[in-house]
Amino acid sequence: MLDVRRLHLLRELDRRGTIAAVAEALTFTASAVSQQLGVLEREAGVPLLERSGRRVILTPAGRSLVAHADAVLNRLEQAAAELAGARDGIGGPLRIGTFPSGGHTIVPAALAELARRHPALEPTVREIESARVSDGLRAGELDVALVHDYDFVPATPDTTVDEVPLLEEPMYLVSPAGGEAMSAGEAEALRTGGAEALRTGGAEALRTGEAAAKSGSGDTLAALLGPCAEVPWITARDGTTGHAMAVRACQAAGFQPRIRHQVNDFRTVLALVAAGQGAGFVPEMAAVPSPAGVMLTKLPLFRRSKVAFRAGGGAHPAIAAFVAAATTAVDVMAGSGGRVRNPA
Amino acid sequence: MLDVRRLHLLRELDRRGTIAAVAEALTFTASAVSQQLGVLEREAGVPLLERSGRRVILTPAGRSLVAHADAVLNRLEQAAAELAGARDGIGGPLRIGTFPSGGHTIVPAALAELARRHPALEPTVREIESARVSDGLRAGELDVALVHDYDFVPATPDTTVDEVPLLEEPMYLVSPAGGEAMSAGEAEALRTGGAEALRTGGAEALRTGEAAAKSGSGDTLAALLGPCAEVPWITARDGTTGHAMAVRACQAAGFQPRIRHQVNDFRTVLALVAAGQGAGFVPEMAAVPSPAGVMLTKLPLFRRSKVAFRAGGGAHPAIAAFVAAATTAVDVMAGSGGRVRNPA
DNA sequence: ATCAAGCATAAGTTCAGCTTAGGTGTGAAG
DNA sequence: CTTCACACCTAAGCTGAACTTATGCTTGAT
């Protein structure tokens, strides 16, 4: 019988690219991983890896074996979740990952709700970029995470992670409050009306580039972003999905953004724009309460927040409890402020 | 992560009933099995077994964990089969199990075909009752097996075994050639006409007891078996599906058979009937060439032969080769004799 | 050329998982 | 009721699979 631990190593190798990375993630030495993969290969009777430069890559047989490994490990996760559900009481540590802006919006509310309903749970929050969440979950460093993706930055399908949608919110262009400045009241009116686009499923059609042309209010992305084509831009840090979203949105609007500042914190983006340093993007959640000194323009461009966890783990009581708490938190925020909305 | 080897033990315990039987099947000591199951239970955090008299039975949590174990082990079998397919060439040992009458009908033809197409394969044949095939396959004593079931004896669904249908043949009543005796020619004519019932899917409707009333030719089971109600019967040995089929068929015809002889070999059944010892049942395959001294009556009652193998193993090249060879063998027999038929 | 990254192999070490041995509770048979 | 065999569990010791450490090779960047 194929050894599942070895299949696990093979899967991690497929995901992380090098034996050294696998070893580090699973706190082994590279030697141990190399040996075990060697045994797996011998047992399989088929070459699973081949050297490529100074690393190894999977052969087609190896990749197909990884697909089986995914299925097996997912099912084991499911079994473990079910067992956890059979144990009475929800408690123990729960390691939560979150993208930075989630840390001061959804997470605190969700934690409060979680503590109210399951006092025995010991949640631990760690900030983490969405791109690294999958690795963190698989390595067992995280149990659950808040992640997001943007239009123009398609989330790569990942069979090792399951996701529950939490929130879909429009992005805003933040530009210096200058000539055609918009008052806070005007911005609020725009926001309220814009909720309609969300409900009619317009966001779904906007995920691809060309679809951005048909904006609900008749304003195309090009028309909305165009005035800022020559302005310096403030985007999220290089390598993040927020950065990629900003660049591609501007490209879709027909220009290449001149990026001057790179900061991930949306409050800093707002402050920089207010200081006349350029234009940027913020999600609706960061746009309310309406900050002073900047102009906000709702864009036909959405950010989707989700709860992610190891594939098969959805039935785990602590995971389910967190999903419920996060959903409640989002619903409460949506109900009180009228500014965000649960897509479910 | 749950240890798959331990899940395997749990599954075997569910199937075999005692730790001692599991140990024997997997060539461990009972102590080892007990210890490993103890570890599994501790890791699960939920009682999985409880003592019941001097044996142990699974708790609901244990049984639900077995379902996951089945899924995981099936998938691993699939992975192994795929790897075997990636290794070039079909060869090595192939342990084949067969029900007794298959041993001198389908198996020899299938082996010849197999040897022609895959000379490197080393098949080993072992006779085994269909009821024990599942255990044999799971224990790794068998790779593939010919099995059968009868109308009136529903096959218990088994998630650990996959099956490919091979042959569906009518059963015949064998009665002493006496008063209303039927010549060999007459019997042949009956057989030829009866093939129609097979094609029209009548057999499917006949699997349950009450369905036996609507026979294709207008002859009900009761009408066909009735004349032999008072005759002694020759059935398969107690505890076999053949025995159960005989008893239930007679019960469905409205009488309790008086069983005098119990033999599994259909040629012996024919010989005993010819010797005036009573009546019996034989499948079509044993009814041709038409034996002398007995009367044959085709019944609206079918036997289905299948190839069985470990769930997920269908893609294994040697298994697939055997299935193909057995199918070919059956087709050839059906074509030449016109007496059996592949349901596919 | 030099150096670090990455993988593989050799050798030593450790602990999980096995066997053996012995004890307990259960159910059947005398 | 006693006896005995069966099934399971626990304790103790042993063995080998799987890990670490140490070392060398190849590759690609500086």
Side-chain angles (χ1 to χ4, degrees):
Chain A
M1 191 169 53
L2 289 163
D3 187 323
V4 174
R5 295 183 65 233
R6 295 191 182 116
L7 292 179
H8 185 201
L9 294 178
L10 190 70
R11 172 169 93 159
E12 289 305 311
L13 179 61
D14 183 46
R15 300 289 191 281
R16 299 181 191 267
T18 73
I19 289 181
V22 173
E24 212 231 310
L26 306 189
T27 58
F28 285 132
T29 60
S31 176
V33 175
S34 175
Q35 286 176 53
Q36 290 304 308
L37 287 174
V39 173
L40 177 63
E41 196 164 19
R42 209 164 339 112
E43 284 175 349
V46 184
L48 299 176
L49 330 169
E50 59 186 5
R51 292 209 59 143
S52 161
R54 56 182 169 186
R55 29 179 56 199
V56 290
I57 56 172
L58 298 198
T59 63
R63 261 175 281 118
S64 115
L65 194 51
V66 166
H68 291 292
D70 278 336
V72 165
L73 293 166
N74 289 4
R75 188 69 191 234
L76 286 175
E77 187 73 28
Q78 225 176 303
E82 202 175 294
L83 286 174
R87 278 193 293 270
D88 42 9
I90 299 182
L94 177 69
R95 285 153 307 175
I96 303 165
T98 175
F99 54 89
S101 67
H104 53 78
T105 51
I106 303 173
V107 168
L111 286 188
E113 178 69 12
L114 210 54
R116 206 175 57 72
R117 285 199 254 181
H118 308 289
L121 216 46
E122 302 157 22
T124 313
V125 175
R126 241 188 63 195
E127 217 173 71
I128 183 171
E129 301 99 86
S130 292
R132 296 196 51 220
V133 161
S134 173
D135 282 353
L137 287 170
R138 283 203 324 284
E141 298 159 4
L142 285 176
D143 297 313
V144 63
L146 288 172
V147 298
H148 57 227
D149 64 21
Y150 294 95
D151 290 333
F152 295 120
V153 187
T156 53
D158 185 341
T159 57
T160 66
V161 168
D162 284 348
E163 292 178 339
V164 173
L166 207 57
L167 176 68
E168 184 164 64
E169 52 183 331
M171 297 296 296
Y172 282 76
L173 166 66
V174 199
S175 48
E180 67 272 41
M182 183 187 289
S183 76
E186 283 174 306
E188 188 66 39
L190 198 158
R191 276 194 298 277
T192 310
E196 193 177 340
L198 244 143
R199 262 182 255 110
T200 55
E204 191 62 40
L206 285 164
R207 276 174 206 174
T208 56
E210 77 276 7
K214 46 166 186 172
S215 163
S217 59
D219 291 329
T220 66
L221 201 57
L224 294 166
L225 296 184
C228 296
E230 300 306 322
V231 168
W233 283 83
I234 303 153
T235 72
R237 269 154 48 192
D238 212 353
T240 65
T241 53
H243 179 89
M245 177 276 296
V247 171
R248 292 182 202 173
C250 289
Q251 288 172 338
F255 64 93
Q256 187 71 26
R258 198 154 43 82
I259 295 169
R260 176 171 295 174
H261 305 289
Q262 295 194 13
V263 295
N264 281 359
D265 192 314
F266 293 122
R267 289 166 304 189
T268 308
V269 172
L270 291 170
L272 286 173
V273 174
Q277 288 295 304
F281 296 96
V282 297
E284 183 158 58
M285 208 176 263
V288 205
S290 188
V294 299
M295 183 169 87
L296 290 170
T297 313
K298 185 195 280 277
L299 300 173
L301 189 64
F302 292 84
R303 176 173 92 153
R304 281 165 297 281
S305 298
K306 296 166 285 190
V307 181
F309 42 86
R310 275 184 295 282
H316 194 292
I319 306 278
F322 181 77
V323 170
T327 303
T328 302
V330 165
D331 283 344
V332 167
M333 292 161 78
S336 69
R339 60 186 209 271
V340 291
R341 191 165 299 273
N342 185 336
Chain B
M1 191 168 52
L2 288 164
D3 186 323
V4 174
R5 294 182 67 235
R6 296 189 181 119
L7 292 180
H8 185 200
L9 293 179
L10 191 70
R11 171 168 94 158
E12 290 304 313
L13 179 60
D14 184 44
R15 299 291 191 281
R16 299 183 191 265
T18 74
I19 289 182
V22 174
E24 212 232 310
L26 306 188
T27 60
F28 285 132
T29 60
S31 176
V33 175
S34 175
Q35 285 175 52
Q36 290 305 308
L37 288 174
V39 173
L40 177 63
E41 196 163 18
R42 211 165 336 115
E43 284 175 348
V46 185
L48 299 176
L49 331 169
E50 59 185 5
R51 290 209 62 145
S52 160
R54 55 184 172 187
R55 28 181 56 199
V56 289
I57 57 172
L58 298 198
T59 62
R63 261 175 281 117
S64 117
L65 193 52
V66 166
H68 291 293
D70 277 337
V72 165
L73 292 165
N74 288 4
R75 188 70 191 232
L76 286 176
E77 187 74 27
Q78 224 177 305
E82 201 175 295
L83 285 174
R87 280 194 292 270
D88 41 9
I90 298 182
L94 177 69
R95 286 154 305 175
I96 303 166
T98 176
F99 53 91
S101 68
H104 53 79
T105 51
I106 303 172
V107 168
L111 286 188
E113 177 70 11
L114 209 54
R116 209 176 54 72
R117 285 198 253 182
H118 308 289
L121 216 45
E122 302 158 23
T124 312
V125 175
R126 241 190 59 194
E127 216 173 71
I128 183 170
E129 302 98 87
S130 293
R132 295 196 50 218
V133 161
S134 173
D135 282 354
L137 287 171
R138 286 203 323 283
E141 296 159 5
L142 241 46
D143 297 313
V144 64
L146 288 172
V147 297
H148 59 225
D149 64 22
Y150 293 95
D151 290 333
F152 295 121
V153 189
T156 52
D158 186 340
T159 56
T160 66
V161 168
D162 283 349
E163 292 178 338
V164 174
L166 207 55
L167 175 67
E168 184 163 63
E169 51 183 332
M171 297 298 294
Y172 282 75
L173 167 66
V174 201
S175 47
E180 66 273 39
M182 186 187 285
S183 76
E186 285 173 305
E188 188 66 39
L190 200 156
R191 277 195 296 279
T192 312
E196 195 179 335
L198 244 144
R199 261 182 254 108
T200 55
E204 191 63 41
L206 286 165
R207 275 175 206 174
T208 55
E210 76 279 7
K214 46 169 186 172
S215 164
S217 59
D219 293 327
T220 66
L221 200 57
L224 295 165
L225 295 184
C228 295
E230 299 306 320
V231 169
W233 283 84
I234 304 153
T235 70
R237 269 157 46 194
D238 211 357
T240 65
T241 53
H243 180 87
M245 176 276 295
V247 171
R248 292 183 202 172
C250 290
Q251 288 173 339
F255 63 94
Q256 188 71 25
R258 197 156 41 85
I259 297 169
R260 176 171 297 172
H261 306 289
Q262 295 194 14
V263 295
N264 283 357
D265 193 313
F266 293 122
R267 291 166 304 189
T268 307
V269 172
L270 290 170
L272 286 173
V273 173
Q277 289 294 304
F281 296 96
V282 297
E284 183 156 59
M285 209 178 262
V288 207
S290 185
V294 300
M295 183 172 86
L296 291 171
T297 312
K298 184 197 283 274
L299 300 173
L301 187 63
F302 293 84
R303 178 174 90 153
R304 282 165 295 281
S305 298
K306 298 167 282 187
V307 182
F309 42 84
R310 275 183 295 280
H316 193 292
I319 306 278
F322 180 79
V323 170
T327 303
T328 303
V330 165
D331 283 344
V332 167
M333 291 162 78
S336 69
R339 65 181 205 270
V340 290
R341 193 163 300 276
N342 185 335

